[in-house]
Amino acid sequence: MGHLDHAAYGWLTPVLSYVMACIGAALGLRCTVCALAATTGSSRRNWLLTAASAIGTGIWTMHFVAMLGFDVTGTEIHYNVPLTVLSLLGAMLVVGAGVFAVGYGRARGRSLVLGGLTTGLGVASMHYLGMAALRLHGTVSYDPLMVGLSVVIAVVAATAALWAALNIKSPVAVTVASLVMGAAVSSMHYTGMLAVAVRVVPSEQALPGATAMQFIFPLAVGLGSYLFITSAFVALSPTADERAASASASASASASASASAARHLGGGQAAAPVAPSAPAR
């Protein structure tokens, strides 16, 4: 059996992966809150699409940043590129289905259960599809009990996050919820990694696929940049309450200006001089 090291770079990869999970969760929650407050169908759809891409990108980046610290003695580790990309697209698709179930569901309780189950299974499927992309000299096996526990953690974390999106509105509460969700998603990842066992078979053959630094690291940096840029854009976007307050203030200002103009016009007419009448002849 090969010795597995889940933090070859010390605390760097676990902490960084947790940060990425929190950013994706915070962005996804904020977008879901905005979607639920949207007044038009197109606006709600766009917010939900952004939420799905944020959560999917966040969990994918978390997983593979953590995998940068994964090492097995006695073998190199490569990644199958198509499967790795498929794990990202699959995560976005399944998470999107869960988010849309909550965003458009009429019965909130049923929508929450369906959305949490779908999103949690999306998180778990991304993890294990990403693990299927591993290429090394040996065989990988899993402890079924730990796999099942990781899936349960993913479903519970996703359901809790969607509940937060439905019930929590303030920025501080959303921040706390995203920190909790980030911890839950990271816990799911490392629980799943504890299920892994590798039997190394030494070989001189070159491994197929790309190394983590050739493919995973550049893609993770690109997706991380997307999360940061989108987070800044969403943070600067006014909320529904802020837009309503702005519209109300504009309407009040317009009404005040109209009233002032009317008063000024009335005063001007009253002050106009009266022409003297012509003398009688």
Side-chain angles (χ1 to χ4, degrees):
M1 301 291 287
H3 174 70
L4 277 60
D5 188 350
H6 298 289
Y9 299 103
W11 284 100
L12 176 62
T13 51
V15 170
L16 186 57
S17 65
Y18 171 69
V19 170
M20 299 311 298
C22 290
I23 292 174
L27 181 56
L29 290 176
R30 171 65 186 247
C31 291
T32 305
V33 170
C34 291
L36 294 173
T39 56
T40 63
S42 60
S43 178
R44 172 168 293 195
R45 182 197 63 230
N46 292 337
W47 278 118
L48 290 175
L49 287 173
T50 306
S53 67
I55 296 174
T57 300
I59 62 176
W60 188 95
T61 307
M62 177 278 303
H63 172 82
F64 282 101
V65 167
M67 290 302 291
L68 291 174
F70 179 65
D71 184 65
V72 181
T73 56
T75 179
E76 289 185 299
I77 297 176
H78 286 198
Y79 293 88
N80 179 282
V81 174
L83 268 181
T84 304
V85 174
L86 182 61
S87 69
L88 171 61
L89 299 179
M92 290 184 179
L93 181 63
V94 181
V95 169
V99 169
F100 270 78
V102 170
Y104 285 98
R106 295 185 178 180
R108 284 204 167 186
R110 184 173 61 186
S111 300
L112 180 61
V113 172
L114 178 61
L117 180 62
T118 305
T119 305
L121 291 177
V123 173
S125 64
M126 183 284 306
H127 175 88
Y128 288 105
L129 191 57
M131 292 300 294
L134 282 178
R135 296 294 180 265
L136 47 76
H137 292 304
T139 57
V140 179
S141 60
Y142 296 90
D143 178 351
L145 181 61
M146 297 301 292
V147 169
L149 179 59
S150 69
V151 174
V152 170
I153 293 174
V155 172
V156 171
T159 304
L162 294 177
W163 177 89
L166 289 172
N167 295 280
I168 294 175
K169 307 301 180 186
S170 72
V172 174
V174 169
T175 301
V176 173
S178 66
L179 294 176
V180 174
M181 185 181 176
V185 172
S186 296
S187 298
M188 177 269 158
H189 170 82
Y190 285 105
T191 301
M193 294 307 294
L194 289 177
V196 177
V198 178
R199 181 176 178 272
V200 175
V201 179
S203 174
E204 297 298 327
Q205 286 186 332
L207 286 170
T211 66
M213 288 300 175
Q214 288 173 338
F215 175 64
I216 300 298
F217 181 73
L219 187 55
V221 170
L223 293 175
S225 300
Y226 161 76
L227 286 176
F228 278 106
I229 293 172
T230 308
S231 296
F233 172 78
V234 172
L236 294 174
S237 298
T239 63
D241 292 340
E242 290 169 345
R243 287 194 297 269
S246 177
S248 177
S250 297
S252 298
S254 177
S256 176
S258 298
S260 176
R263 287 194 301 271
H264 179 73
L265 181 59
Q269 289 175 343
V274 179
S277 59
R281 295 182 179 272

